[in-house]
Amino acid sequence: SLTGRIIAGSFYSGLIMFWNPTTGRELLRLPQAHTKACYFLEWNHFHESILLSTSADNTVLVYDIHIDHLIDSEIQNIPLGSNHHVRGKSENGNNSLTTNSMNRNNIDQYAQVKYKFVHPAPVYGCSWNAFKPTVFCTAAHDGIVRVFNFAAKTLLARTLVGHSARAFSCLWSPLVPGLLASGSDDYSIMIWDVDVENFPESAVVTSPDGPGVFGDKVLSIGDLGRTPSMSMNIANAGYAKAMTLSALRVLQGHKSYVRALSWNYENKHLL
């Protein structure tokens, strides 16, 4: 998380788990976070409680994790997200908290889905913008990178079209507000210049329950009744409301799939 008080991990089963990195104890499990493999997690750069997750079930979830409640419950040894826990030793010998059975109502005290974005294809990568707390992007199996903005009436702000195979990763630059990179199974990296400076902004009101700008909403994108393909007609697939952008630059030369990306934090031109 933003302050390092909690660490989250995702699993192929769709499970999301949380630990206290200081004590090594498990804090919470979300066994039904996704119905298929959960590929990627990222904490918001401005608000410690907001977590983004992507999955093979075609969804992106925005969670509000009540970190203070989790930490307080750990100190008080209150059961977290289960009817009872068994205290024991983990493989490395540290004290851990093992969940025997889950209680949905108890889990909701500590983690709530604030937004659900239904894509027309499995979603692999995601990235929060480092300058705009309400802006993030996703990379999906249909080869399209999408940019969302919570502060706008139309949450799907931009569609970035250019990859000829699935887009596996996407990453905002830490130094340039609108600069975005995406990696794909078409052996290329594409650089995009997204006009985030023109995106509407909203004053995010913080509270014990998390940022007030994050409401309970579900956004469906495209036709979920069809098998996604690279030749999908963008206008007919429900993307017409979002402005479509072309790549600023295409970086070629890879001999295989591009899965991981990393921007340099000192030189804005290095990727």
Side-chain angles (χ1 to χ4, degrees):
S1 63
L2 183 64
T3 60
R5 292 194 299 161
I6 188 173
I7 187 171
S10 62
F11 296 82
Y12 197 76
S13 64
L15 169 72
I16 297 177
M17 293 177 62
F18 301 87
W19 296 268
N20 182 332
T22 301
T23 64
R25 288 181 59 185
E26 176 188 324
L27 298 178
L28 181 66
R29 295 187 183 196
L30 303 179
Q32 297 175 335
H34 290 283
T35 58
K36 293 183 179 180
C38 182
Y39 289 119
F40 199 83
L41 302 173
E42 180 162 277
W43 295 98
N44 188 278
H45 300 302
F46 296 84
H47 303 285
E48 185 183 31
S49 67
I50 302 301
L51 179 69
L52 197 62
S53 67
T54 68
S55 173
D57 65 9
N58 297 12
T59 66
V60 173
L61 300 180
V62 180
Y63 268 99
D64 182 7
I65 308 298
H66 298 191
I67 296 179
D68 287 335
H69 296 171
L70 286 175
I71 299 298
D72 290 344
S73 298
E74 180 191 23
I75 294 173
Q76 299 170 24
N77 199 26
I78 297 175
L80 305 179
S82 66
N83 290 330
H84 64 284
H85 291 69
V86 176
R87 185 178 302 281
K89 293 288 184 179
S90 62
E91 293 181 358
N92 59 11
N94 295 329
N95 287 330
S96 64
L97 221 54
T98 304
T99 304
N100 285 341
S101 57
M102 307 304 295
N103 183 300
R104 185 75 254 170
N105 293 330
N106 201 7
I107 291 177
D108 289 341
Q109 298 178 30
Y110 303 97
Q112 296 175 333
V113 175
K114 307 306 291 184
Y115 274 84
K116 181 179 181 180
F117 296 88
V118 184
H119 288 58
V123 190
Y124 301 110
C126 64
S127 178
W128 287 104
N129 188 276
F131 296 85
K132 299 275 188 174
T134 59
V135 174
F136 73 90
C137 62
T138 62
H141 190 81
D142 58 7
I144 297 176
V145 177
R146 297 173 175 85
V147 178
F148 299 88
N149 181 21
F150 291 110
K153 290 183 178 180
T154 303
L155 298 182
L156 178 58
R158 301 288 184 270
T159 55
L160 313 182
V161 179
H163 287 297
S164 59
R166 64 176 177 176
F168 201 85
S169 55
C170 55
L171 186 65
W172 292 102
S173 167
L175 302 177
V176 182
L179 201 61
L180 174 65
S182 60
S184 170
D185 285 8
D186 63 9
Y187 299 1
S188 75
I189 296 174
M190 292 192 174
I191 307 298
W192 312 84
D193 185 12
V194 183
D195 55 329
V196 294
E197 67 276 5
N198 295 327
F199 284 14
E201 296 186 3
S202 175
V204 181
V205 180
T206 58
S207 71
D209 295 324
V213 72
F214 296 94
D216 299 313
K217 295 184 179 181
V218 176
L219 175 67
S220 294
I221 308 164
D223 185 355
L224 298 180
R226 294 187 296 162
T227 301
S229 69
M230 300 309 153
S231 60
M232 286 180 67
N233 184 297
I234 293 177
N236 293 334
Y239 308 119
K241 293 182 179 179
M243 182 184 297
T244 301
L245 301 180
S246 299
L248 175 68
R249 184 170 298 176
V250 180
L251 307 180
Q252 297 177 323
H254 292 84
K255 302 299 182 181
S256 188
Y257 307 142
V258 181
R259 297 294 172 82
L261 300 169
S262 179
W263 285 101
N264 187 282
Y265 276 75
E266 295 181 354
N267 188 324
K268 65 181 181 181
H269 300 294
L270 292 182
L271 173 66

